[in-house]
């Protein structure tokens, strides 16, 4: 059976992702076992953090490939936001604690929204992973309803987004800023989040993302707006 280059690339990424998942699981078991001792436990947790971050990037690349190949389906249902936040905290709390970063959330326990749970959880997990790189001591998740949208916010207390990102008028421009390596930001996460948000529609309204600085915390603030 003939296979084009993009299919081969996607297959290879999928294989690498599976290997990284095995490494991540093994690392978590090693770190969590009382029988193992590390000269510097923080280094082990940093290694786990980087493995998780690379794995998130590969998941995003695969999702973008499926989106371009029209193979990505959306499963929208009603979900409780606090349940989503509790799950995301469970996925990220150990590494945050190891890095000395306080990860918390604040939202109405009864707040619900309509979205694809796997996609939105992936966006939130990925954004937390990026925020860990720039946070000083705090990352906070929050959510609220505004102008008929569910707004999920991930903030940190670091230096914030660079001015060239904030000065752009829309996200497409933000993603096309020249020399992205200069800031150490590939913008893959923003591209992924923008594409995922755009898959959520209600009538004439469409999901989108926003980035800003200095909301309730002084650093970067990422917002996912879902109709």
């Amino acid at each position: 059976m003939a296979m084009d280059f993009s299919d081969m690339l996607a297959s290879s990424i999928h294989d690498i992702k599976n290997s990284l998942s095995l490494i991540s699981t093994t690392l978590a078991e090693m770190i969590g076992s009382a029988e193992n001792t590390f000269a510097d436990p923080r280094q082990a947790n940093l290694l786990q953090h980087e493995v998780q971050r690379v794995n998130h990037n590969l998941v995003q690349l695969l999702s973008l490939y499926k989106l371009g190949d029209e193979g990505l389906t959306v499963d929208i249902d009603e979900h409780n936001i606090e349940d989503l936040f509790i799950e995301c905290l469970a996925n990220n709390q150990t590494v945050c604690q190891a890095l000395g970063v306080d990860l918390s959330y604040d939202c109405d326990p009864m707040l619900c929204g309509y979205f694809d749970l796997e996609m939105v959880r992936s966006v939130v997990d990925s954004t937390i992973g990026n925020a860990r790189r720039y946070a000083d001591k705090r990352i906070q998740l929050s959510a609220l309803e505004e102008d008929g949208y569910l707004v999920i916010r991930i903030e940190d207390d670091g230096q914030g987004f660079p001015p060239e990102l904030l000065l752009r008028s829309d996200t497409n421009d933000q993603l096309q800023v020249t020399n992205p390596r200069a800031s150490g930001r590939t913008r893959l996460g923003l591209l992924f989040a923008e594409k995922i948000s755009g898959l959520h529609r209600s009538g004439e309204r469409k999901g989108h993302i926003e980035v800003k600085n200095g909301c309730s915390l002084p650093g970067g603030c990422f917002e996912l707006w879902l109709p």
Side-chain angles (χ1 to χ4, degrees), residues 117-181:
L117 180 60
E118 294 296 327
M119 290 183 180
V120 170
R121 182 170 52 208
S122 181
V123 169
V124 175
D125 275 338
S126 172
T127 307
I128 293 173
N130 286 327
R132 280 199 300 258
R133 303 178 65 192
Y134 304 102
D136 183 14
K137 295 180 179 177
R138 289 189 62 193
I139 299 173
Q140 178 169 285
L141 316 182
S142 60
L144 72 163
E145 290 182 347
E146 185 173 329
D147 297 332
Y149 284 80
L150 168 67
V151 184
I152 297 176
R153 183 178 290 166
I154 297 101
E155 301 177 69
D156 66 67
D157 63 346
Q159 296 297 313
F161 290 101
E164 63 267 25
L165 270 177
L166 303 176
L167 290 174
R168 300 290 162 159
S169 59
D170 59 54
T171 304
N172 284 331
D173 282 343
Q174 290 170 345
L175 299 174
Q176 295 170 12
V177 172
T178 59
N179 194 19
R181 293 180 182 175

Side-chain angles (χ1 to χ4, degrees), residues 53-170:
R53 198 172 68 84
V54 173
N55 202 36
H56 284 314
N57 288 343
L58 292 177
V59 169
Q60 291 171 352
L61 283 173
L62 277 175
S63 297
L64 291 173
Y65 165 77
K66 291 178 180 177
L67 186 62
D69 199 42
E70 298 183 349
L72 191 63
T73 57
V74 184
D75 182 17
I76 294 179
D77 204 345
E78 184 178 22
H79 300 284
N80 178 267
I81 307 305
E82 184 175 43
D83 288 345
L84 169 68
F85 284 171
I86 289 173
E87 190 172 351
C88 290
L89 257 66
N91 292 339
N92 295 276
Q93 195 67 275
T94 300
V95 176
C96 284
Q97 288 175 348
L99 297 175
V101 174
D102 177 62
L103 175 61
S104 61
Y105 73 87
D106 180 24
C107 75
D108 182 342
M110 303 303 293
L111 181 62
C112 293
Y114 288 86
F115 51 85
D116 185 302
L117 180 60
E118 294 296 327
M119 290 183 180
V120 170
R121 182 170 52 208
S122 181
V123 169
V124 175
D125 275 338
S126 172
T127 307
I128 293 173
N130 286 327
R132 280 199 300 258
R133 303 178 65 192
Y134 304 102
D136 183 14
K137 295 180 179 177
R138 289 189 62 193
I139 299 173
Q140 178 169 285
L141 316 182
S142 60
L144 72 163
E145 290 182 347
E146 185 173 329
D147 297 332
Y149 284 80
L150 168 67
V151 184
I152 297 176
R153 183 178 290 166
I154 297 101
E155 301 177 69
D156 66 67
D157 63 346
Q159 296 297 313
F161 290 101
E164 63 267 25
L165 270 177
L166 303 176
L167 290 174
R168 300 290 162 159
S169 59
D170 59 54

